[in-house]
Amino acid sequence: MKISRKVWLILGAVIFVIALVSLVRIYTQQVKEQDQLRTSLAAQQALLHQLTIQESDQQNKLNAAESLLEASRVKFPESVESIEYGEDLFNIADDCNVELTQLSPSMPTARTAGAVTYSVFSFSMVVQGDVNNILDFINALRTGDGFRQAWSAEVNSVSIDFGDTGAVAAISVDIYSYKG
């Protein structure tokens, strides 16, 4: 059986149309896929931009928090020292049989003598008790009796009021400690 030229021509045209339809279909799918990828890429780039801004904001917040933490760390040992000095002052008052009724520390300052820098804490305090015991307390402060920490004190002022129930003394003291 011999196939005529017309049949071959029709068969060729059908195959060509099928191939052309297949190519158009593949091309259309690729165009849709490219559009989806472009849309997805644009969304990812927008998200990347937003995340970059958030990262920058978070880094700024972290830097601010670290700075605040460092500032707090610098102050914390001084607060601990102030508390330790307060404990020593209460212990000395107890040893001298006086009642420490008021204790007000100030922020520490640094004083330099030659090449040595000292931390200076100023305390204002009020003690009550017998006059002799108050004088013993002042002497203990001046000489350093009962100090657990390595520090020394300079008594700046003393004001004693005498009453029926005993004496009340307002004392101003600077406490020096060495930071090596």
Side-chain angles (χ1 to χ4, degrees):
M1 168 160 144
K2 198 167 185 188
I3 302 178
S4 75
R5 205 169 176 202
K6 247 183 175 182
V7 173
W8 278 110
L9 197 56
I10 292 172
L11 187 60
V14 169
I15 291 174
F16 178 74
V17 169
I18 291 173
L20 185 62
V21 168
S22 295
L23 286 175
V24 168
R25 186 173 170 210
I26 290 172
Y27 177 76
T28 307
Q29 287 176 344
Q30 287 181 349
V31 167
K32 285 181 184 177
E33 192 174 310
Q34 284 180 353
D35 286 343
Q36 288 175 346
L37 289 174
R38 280 189 193 110
T39 304
S40 177
L41 180 62
Q44 296 304 319
Q45 286 176 337
L47 180 61
L48 175 63
H49 180 70
Q50 183 181 8
L51 290 175
T52 303
I53 291 171
Q54 285 179 355
E55 178 188 26
S56 176
D57 289 345
Q58 293 301 323
Q59 187 63 41
N60 290 340
K61 288 179 183 178
L62 175 63
N63 290 341
E66 286 175 345
S67 175
L68 183 60
L69 175 64
E70 191 57 36
S72 296
R73 263 192 203 143
V74 168
K75 290 181 181 179
F76 181 71
E78 295 168 349
S79 299
V80 170
E81 289 177 25
S82 177
I83 292 169
E84 291 172 350
Y85 300 145
E87 288 177 7
D88 278 356
L89 293 172
F90 277 102
N91 288 336
I92 295 169
D94 190 45
D95 291 345
C96 294
N97 295 320
V98 294
E99 183 180 351
L100 185 57
T101 59
Q102 183 178 352
L103 180 64
S104 301
S106 67
M107 291 300 293
T109 59
R111 291 193 191 152
T112 303
V116 179
T117 300
Y118 295 93
S119 292
V120 181
F121 293 83
S122 295
F123 287 88
S124 296
M125 61 187 97
V126 175
V127 293
Q128 290 180 327
D130 181 62
V131 174
N132 290 330
N133 292 342
I134 290 175
L135 294 175
D136 288 343
F137 177 74
I138 295 169
N139 188 52
L141 290 177
R142 201 176 54 72
T143 60
D145 291 344
F147 294 165
R148 291 179 302 144
Q149 306 297 322
W151 53 279
S152 64
E154 178 182 335
V155 178
N156 294 324
S157 66
V158 176
S159 172
I160 301 177
D161 290 330
F162 301 97
D164 294 336
T165 59
V168 176
I171 304 168
S172 174
V173 176
D174 286 341
I175 295 177
Y176 295 83
S177 67
Y178 172 70
K179 286 187 172 184

